[in-house]
Amino acid sequence: MKKIVVIGGTGLIGSKVVALLDERGHQTIAAAPDTGVNTITGEGLYDALDGADVVIDASNSPSLDGREAKRFFLTSGSNLLDTEKAVGVRHHVALSVVGTERLQDSGYFQAKLAQESLIAASAIPHTLVRATQFFEFLRRIADDATRGAEVRLPHALFQPMAAQDVAFALVQAALDEPTGGMIEVAGPQSYFMDELVAHVLEHDGDKRAVVSSADAPYFSVRLNEASLMPGGNARLGTTTFEKWLSSAPLPRSVPPLVTIPGARA
Ligand SMILES: NC(=O)c1ccc[n+]([C@@H]2O[C@H](COP(=O)([O-])OP(=O)(O)OC[C@H]3O[C@@H](n4cnc5c(N)ncnc54)[C@H](OP(=O)(O)O)[C@@H]3O)[C@@H](O)[C@H]2O)c1
């Protein structure tokens, strides 16, 4: 049995990681501001990490704005690594995003790369787990790309995966020895982003129309065919998109169509 602290242990991925580790009988701490552990202020951090074998960082910046995200990941990361050094943590596992270095037109992905570099340069043995987009994130992709009644997305390949499979991969990495490098994890199949998002919206009864546009950005990044794709050594999750969609709860509200005065329905 290991003592494992999950930073962001109340979030989408972190809460699933905590549940999996609890099932396996490990001593697990779900660390987040709501549970009294704050990696920015340092509140509760030393006590939570004291005696821990492994720290899994599945936290996220409360703001996706580039500058704020960078401040979050660098401050949080430094506080974590310093405390881990002080208490003798033997393995730091962190969640990042496949293709981060190819997405540097986005301030958020600059922040993720800065987080990765901080960890790679630290003295704590580490494993970086880079995941592709979560199926649970597809509706958020649609919302970010919505202009009026249209969702403008590129016809670019990606290989999204279920949050549950991301959690499995983090748990596996945490229970293995540190690799000192990067592991990629991805879904079982690749899709075109515009087509898959259209499929989700149709499933939801969401009337927004997906418009494929070569120059439409993905969160301010112009994608090419390879931008979001994992490499050949990626570990693949087993949950298919169809299986996930059939069991995923519908969103609480479908965004209303923006109607243009005077336009005919
Ligand atoms: N979205 C994607 O498709 C995707 C793909 C690959 C990788 N990722 C990465 O996955 C990671 C996790 O994403 P997620 O969607 O699971 O995040 P999430 O659901 O937003 O959860 C974020 C967690 O971080 C915690 N947190 C925030 N500020 C904190 C602080 N100061 N101290 C301690 N904990 C803090 C939050 O706690 P509170 O709720 O109490 O604030 C929450 O538990 C991110 O780093 C992201 O870059 C995302």
Side-chain angles (χ1 to χ4, degrees), residues 150-156 192 194-195 209-216:
E150 288 183 353
V151 179
R152 301 180 70 80
L153 284 170
H155 188 62
F192 287 106
D194 52 345
E195 293 176 2
V210 174
V211 175
S212 183
S213 163
D215 60 0

Side-chain angles (χ1 to χ4, degrees), residues 12-13 95-100 102-103 109 112 129-138 141 157-167 169 183-191 193 196 218 226-231 234-237 239:
L12 172 65
I13 302 297
L95 179 57
S96 193
V97 187
V98 163
T100 290
R102 298 187 291 269
L103 305 170
F109 289 105
K112 291 300 288 182
V129 178
R130 277 184 168 185
T132 55
Q133 289 62 46
F134 315 150
F135 292 145
E136 287 79 353
F137 194 59
L138 293 172
I141 293 175
L157 276 175
F158 71 153
Q159 199 162 323
M161 66 189 298
Q164 187 65 29
D165 287 341
V166 179
I183 292 169
E184 285 193 331
V185 294
Q189 211 180 316
S190 62
Y191 298 90
M193 181 180 284
L196 200 68
Y218 167 74
S227 303
L228 298 178
M229 290 297 285
R235 298 178 184 175
L236 302 187
T239 309

Side-chain angles (χ1 to χ4, degrees), residues 60-141:
N60 204 0
S61 166
S63 164
L64 302 190
D65 167 77
R67 215 180 300 177
E68 290 187 36
K70 191 165 185 181
R71 199 176 310 132
F72 175 86
F73 284 118
L74 289 182
T75 307
S76 172
S78 301
N79 288 342
L80 265 178
L81 293 164
D82 288 350
T83 312
E84 289 173 23
K85 192 171 175 202
V87 301
V89 168
R90 291 195 294 273
H91 190 181
H92 180 96
V93 178
L95 179 57
S96 193
V97 187
V98 163
T100 290
E101 76 284 359
R102 298 187 291 269
L103 305 170
Q104 292 298 297
D105 286 346
S106 148
Y108 179 79
F109 289 105
Q110 291 172 19
K112 291 300 288 182
L113 197 60
Q115 177 195 22
E116 291 183 352
S117 303
L118 186 74
I119 294 164
S122 87
I124 310 289
H126 67 273
T127 305
L128 290 168
V129 178
R130 277 184 168 185
T132 55
Q133 289 62 46
F134 315 150
F135 292 145
E136 287 79 353
F137 194 59
L138 293 172
R139 293 176 177 117
R140 180 77 193 277
I141 293 175

Side-chain angles (χ1 to χ4, degrees), residues 9 11 32 35 50 71 115 118 160 182 187 195 199-200 206 226:
T35 66
D50 197 15
R71 199 176 310 132
Q115 177 195 22
L118 186 74
M182 192 116 60
E195 293 176 2
H199 192 128
V200 173
D206 187 322

